[in-house]
Amino acid sequence: MGAPAIPGVMKRGRPRSEQVERAILRAAGDLLTEHGLAAMTIEDVAARAGVAKTSIYRRWSTKGTLALDAFLADFLGSQPLPDTGNLENDLTAALRAWVRTVRGTPTGRALAELIAQAQSDPDLAVAWRERVVGPARAQHRKILEHAVARGEIPDTSDVEVLMDLLFGTAYHRLLQGHLPLTDRFVRRVVAVIVAGAKAGAAAPPTP
Amino acid sequence: MGAPAIPGVMKRGRPRSEQVERAILRAAGDLLTEHGLAAMTIEDVAARAGVAKTSIYRRWSTKGTLALDAFLADFLGSQPLPDTGNLENDLTAALRAWVRTVRGTPTGRALAELIAQAQSDPDLAVAWRERVVGPARAQHRKILEHAVARGEIPDTSDVEVLMDLLFGTAYHRLLQGHLPLTDRFVRRVVAVIVAGAKAGAAAPPTP
DNA sequence: TAGCTTACGCTACGTAGCGTAGTGTAATAT
DNA sequence: ATATTACACTACGCTACGTAGCGTAAGCTA
């Protein structure tokens, strides 16, 4: 209590209230869930949190980065790292967990709207890649590296492409909305990728 | 000239000016190219087109649908239907053409921003699926059906999933921006999908 | 030709949300 | 005690939205 995280750079003046921070994130999360990102305004968040607008702007520069923090509070940890000793099972479990989290849920809509917002908000785009895309891919990379270690797929496989195939396909249906994210979809996507990877198609051709 | 498209439902009063329509679409297309969709305003479009705002609202209900029409004027017909007699070559040609159109181009940014806008504009979302996603998929479906007809892949293959794999993966890199759309990426994505499809992984399992 | 109807450009308006500034008070370190 | 920063509150100027009213223009119908 009151002890500085880093002695010597102790801040002077009144410290920022953690309670204010929590109230803002909670209000933003609620509004994100109830009405979506596009309909969420900073003024609404402030009113709902019982906080002044300036207390929000002091912490976040754009609506997108605020929404990202509110989103991560709910989203982090919902994506497991399966390790069954079988690539197809692991990928199926990972994609199924993702589908369960996003299909027809406020989380799914928030996910889509955050990606949308990032197309015109460079700050959010950077934060999104660093705090969502990066960590998620690190998880999925492990699944593929385990498969390489087991000899299921060639060690020259382009794991980045394989990850793009798996989740790019799923994000496609989420964002375009042309077809539903069914379990059959999950199984077939995984089956094609695993078959292709095992055939060495994700590796450089050996002439 | 002056003849009604459907006799009997001849409109009364002053007809809408095609010149106004063209001026609006041209101005919207220019602004979309120069500044992007997020920065484009109806007022700017009106000013640039030398037209009243009401003349725009009379024709389009939202910025998104206007931008879609402006976008299609430039985008339509840029995606060829390759038919070389070989699935891998056809898919590679199709994806390469798409990459060439979108990578580092205003068209690519407009594409991303339209998908973004569709996440919070239901009218645009419907129009997008009907006028962009639908026609594009119809093209790509032919490529896969030709491969089925040639016996390259099983006739039970889930062509919808295969299309999602091909373009979903590419859209993923466009929208997330985590990795570039290189030609090696194109070749590996196609190789995995073709290998998987030929192995029957996109078809229902035969017990 | 006269009359009806709709489109058009123009100006003006009310609304919403943005991001900032000013004020007085509260909380902490020196 | 004093300096410094955070906070709530109020107010402000700004931008863009979407609509309304006006007079004029351009077609049809009688």
Side-chain angles (χ1 to χ4, degrees):
Chain A
M1 287 301 225
I6 305 172
V9 287
M10 191 54 170
K11 296 262 187 66
R12 300 206 299 180
R14 177 175 176 174
R16 290 193 185 166
S17 162
E18 291 184 15
Q19 190 178 339
V20 166
E21 191 130 344
R22 281 195 300 270
I24 294 171
L25 285 174
R26 180 182 189 88
D30 289 351
L31 291 173
L32 198 58
T33 295
E34 292 170 19
H35 308 297
L37 177 58
M40 181 181 106
T41 70
I42 300 286
E43 302 203 315
D44 285 347
V45 174
R48 180 146 186 164
V51 145
K53 269 199 297 180
T54 44
S55 293
I56 298 180
Y57 283 116
R58 193 173 292 118
R59 293 169 167 82
W60 289 276
S61 57
T62 69
K63 182 169 79 168
T65 50
L66 166 59
L68 174 58
D69 282 344
F71 174 80
L72 285 178
D74 292 344
F75 189 71
L76 274 183
S78 79
Q79 301 304 95
L81 173 58
D83 189 5
T84 63
N86 174 276
L87 178 59
E88 183 152 5
N89 288 345
D90 285 356
L91 294 183
T92 302
L95 194 53
R96 271 199 184 123
W98 184 89
V99 166
R100 203 177 310 119
T101 303
V102 307
R103 184 175 60 189
T105 66
T107 302
R109 181 170 63 158
L111 185 60
E113 287 195 302
L114 280 166
I115 293 170
Q117 188 76 13
Q119 303 306 314
S120 59
D121 180 340
D123 285 355
L124 176 58
V126 169
W128 181 258
R129 280 193 288 271
E130 289 178 354
R131 300 179 55 196
V132 181
V133 177
R137 289 177 79 86
Q139 287 267 80
H140 304 142
R141 201 173 287 114
K142 284 181 194 160
I143 298 177
L144 291 163
E145 287 170 352
H146 290 167
V148 168
R150 288 191 302 263
E152 277 197 275
I153 60 175
D155 63 358
T156 50
S157 298
D158 189 331
V159 295
E160 304 302 319
V161 163
L162 291 174
M163 287 188 289
D164 287 332
L165 279 161
L166 187 68
F167 281 90
T169 309
Y171 273 99
H172 197 52
R173 288 212 174 175
L174 174 70
L175 293 168
Q176 308 277 353
H178 56 298
L179 285 171
L181 286 159
T182 64
D183 195 66
R184 189 162 72 181
F185 166 80
V186 169
R187 283 182 271 114
R188 289 184 178 174
V189 166
V190 171
V192 171
I193 294 171
V194 170
K198 287 186 174 175
T206 52
Chain B
M1 289 301 226
I6 304 171
V9 287
M10 189 56 170
K11 296 261 185 67
R12 299 205 300 178
R14 178 176 176 173
R16 290 194 186 165
S17 162
E18 292 182 14
Q19 189 178 338
V20 166
E21 191 129 345
R22 280 194 301 270
I24 294 171
L25 286 174
R26 181 182 189 88
D30 289 350
L31 291 173
L32 198 58
T33 296
E34 292 169 20
H35 307 297
L37 176 59
M40 181 180 106
T41 70
I42 300 286
E43 302 202 315
D44 285 347
V45 174
R48 179 145 186 166
V51 145
K53 269 200 296 181
T54 44
S55 293
I56 298 180
Y57 283 115
R58 194 173 291 120
R59 293 170 168 81
W60 289 277
S61 57
T62 69
K63 182 168 79 166
T65 50
L66 166 59
L68 174 59
D69 281 344
F71 174 80
L72 285 177
D74 292 344
F75 189 71
L76 274 182
S78 79
Q79 300 305 92
L81 174 57
D83 190 4
T84 64
N86 174 276
L87 178 59
E88 184 153 5
N89 288 344
D90 285 355
L91 294 184
T92 302
L95 194 52
R96 272 200 183 123
W98 184 88
V99 167
R100 203 177 309 120
T101 303
V102 309
R103 184 174 60 189
T105 67
T107 302
R109 180 169 66 159
L111 185 60
E113 286 196 303
L114 280 166
I115 293 170
Q117 188 75 14
Q119 303 306 314
S120 61
D121 180 341
D123 285 355
L124 175 58
V126 170
W128 181 258
R129 282 193 287 271
E130 289 178 354
R131 300 179 54 195
V132 181
V133 177
R137 290 178 77 86
Q139 288 266 81
H140 305 142
R141 200 173 286 114
K142 283 181 194 160
I143 298 177
L144 291 163
E145 287 171 353
H146 290 167
V148 168
R150 288 190 301 264
E152 277 196 274
I153 59 176
D155 63 356
T156 51
S157 299
D158 189 332
V159 295
E160 304 300 320
V161 164
L162 292 175
M163 288 189 287
D164 288 331
L165 280 161
L166 187 67
F167 281 92
T169 309
Y171 273 99
H172 197 52
R173 290 211 172 176
L174 174 70
L175 293 169
Q176 309 274 356
H178 56 297
L179 287 171
L181 286 158
T182 63
D183 194 66
R184 189 161 73 182
F185 165 80
V186 169
R187 282 182 271 113
R188 289 184 177 171
V189 166
V190 171
V192 170
I193 295 171
V194 170
K198 285 187 175 175
T206 51

